[in-house]
Amino acid sequence: MEPFLQEIRRYKNKTCAFNGLMDFLVGLTRYVSDKETKALITRTITEIPTIRTFKEYRSTLAGTMETVCRQARRDREDMSASLVQRVLEYIDTHYQDARLSLQFAADHYHVSDGHLSRLFKKETGNNFSEYLIKKRVDKAKELLDKDHRMPIAVVASRVGFTDAKYFGQVFKKYYGLTPSEYKDHIILS
């Protein structure tokens, strides 16, 4: 903001300074989506003709910019949360796709895998792969609860695991039983 204010101050003609500030504020409205923030910018634009001193220019612009920046930070946080929410919904509906991974999701949403990884961890407390594996194992348990006669390899495949042996190890990690032992437990209950 300081370089802009210095440029405004250089103008000897108040009309030039006025036009520079107006152009800046009008341009700013194109990048603001919040209605209250746009209304503030509009009020600032209508106040400009009454400004008499550079100090008033500075004060008016600083107050407006502070509000705009605060709103931009909130918007960025909302977008981050919104992205993670969309990724969670995507996982819920596509967990059975064996190709699903952090990179796959990042590509799908046109963000870097590092960015998505950080946001995901921040918003959910889990890393992406942990969340996906837990989702798949939980869905596998649901399948076994519905039909204990289903072969383990079929269950693994239906929830996105390509290796039935690995699926068995992961299942045991979460439930304390292999899928076969879990099936036997269901039959005995």
Side-chain angles (χ1 to χ4, degrees):
M1 185 170 90
E2 280 306 314
F4 177 76
L5 287 172
Q6 288 172 357
E7 187 68 26
I8 294 288
R9 187 174 220 166
R10 279 194 11 218
Y11 292 120
K12 301 294 181 203
N13 182 334
K14 184 182 176 193
T15 303
C16 290
F18 170 80
N19 289 338
L21 188 54
M22 290 291 282
D23 288 345
F24 174 75
L25 291 171
V26 169
L28 191 59
T29 61
R30 293 184 193 124
Y31 299 100
V32 175
S33 58
D34 179 65
K35 289 180 183 177
E36 290 177 26
T37 306
K38 277 190 179 197
L40 171 66
I41 294 170
T42 302
R43 278 194 309 275
T44 302
I45 289 170
T46 59
E47 289 173 12
I48 290 175
T50 65
I51 294 174
R52 300 280 178 238
T53 68
F54 180 74
K55 188 175 180 180
E56 289 175 9
Y57 269 113
R58 180 188 196 101
S59 175
T60 300
L61 186 59
T64 301
M65 289 306 299
E66 184 178 317
T67 301
V68 169
C69 289
R70 198 175 320 115
Q71 184 61 42
R73 279 191 295 277
R74 278 196 299 266
D75 289 350
R76 188 178 69 221
E77 289 167 3
D78 290 348
M79 278 180 43
S80 297
S82 173
L83 172 63
V84 171
Q85 190 57 46
R86 289 190 318 249
V87 170
L88 289 169
E89 290 168 5
Y90 188 83
I91 292 170
D92 286 348
T93 57
H94 294 87
Y95 64 89
Q96 66 278 20
D97 185 346
R99 297 172 302 158
L100 183 55
S101 65
L102 176 65
Q103 185 63 56
F104 189 89
D107 290 346
H108 182 78
Y109 288 101
H110 310 289
V111 296
S112 74
D113 58 344
H115 178 67
L116 180 56
S117 178
R118 282 186 299 279
L119 285 178
F120 197 90
K121 178 78 172 180
K122 180 181 173 190
E123 296 292 322
T124 68
N126 294 312
N127 71 41
F128 182 93
S129 60
E130 287 171 355
Y131 183 87
L132 177 59
I133 288 170
K134 178 73 169 115
K135 171 66 72 179
R136 287 174 168 168
V137 169
D138 289 346
K139 292 297 184 177
K141 182 180 174 291
E142 288 176 20
L143 286 175
L144 290 171
D145 287 341
K146 286 181 186 174
D147 183 4
H148 65 275
R149 293 180 302 255
M150 189 179 300
I152 302 303
V154 172
V155 172
S157 170
R158 286 196 181 169
V159 296
F161 286 95
T162 56
D163 181 346
K165 183 177 177 183
Y166 174 67
F167 163 67
Q169 293 168 341
V170 172
F171 191 94
K172 184 170 184 168
K173 174 183 167 189
Y174 284 96
Y175 290 106
L177 302 168
T178 66
S180 297
E181 292 168 340
Y182 185 77
K183 284 170 66 168
D184 292 342
H185 176 73
I186 291 172
I187 293 169
L188 295 174
S189 336

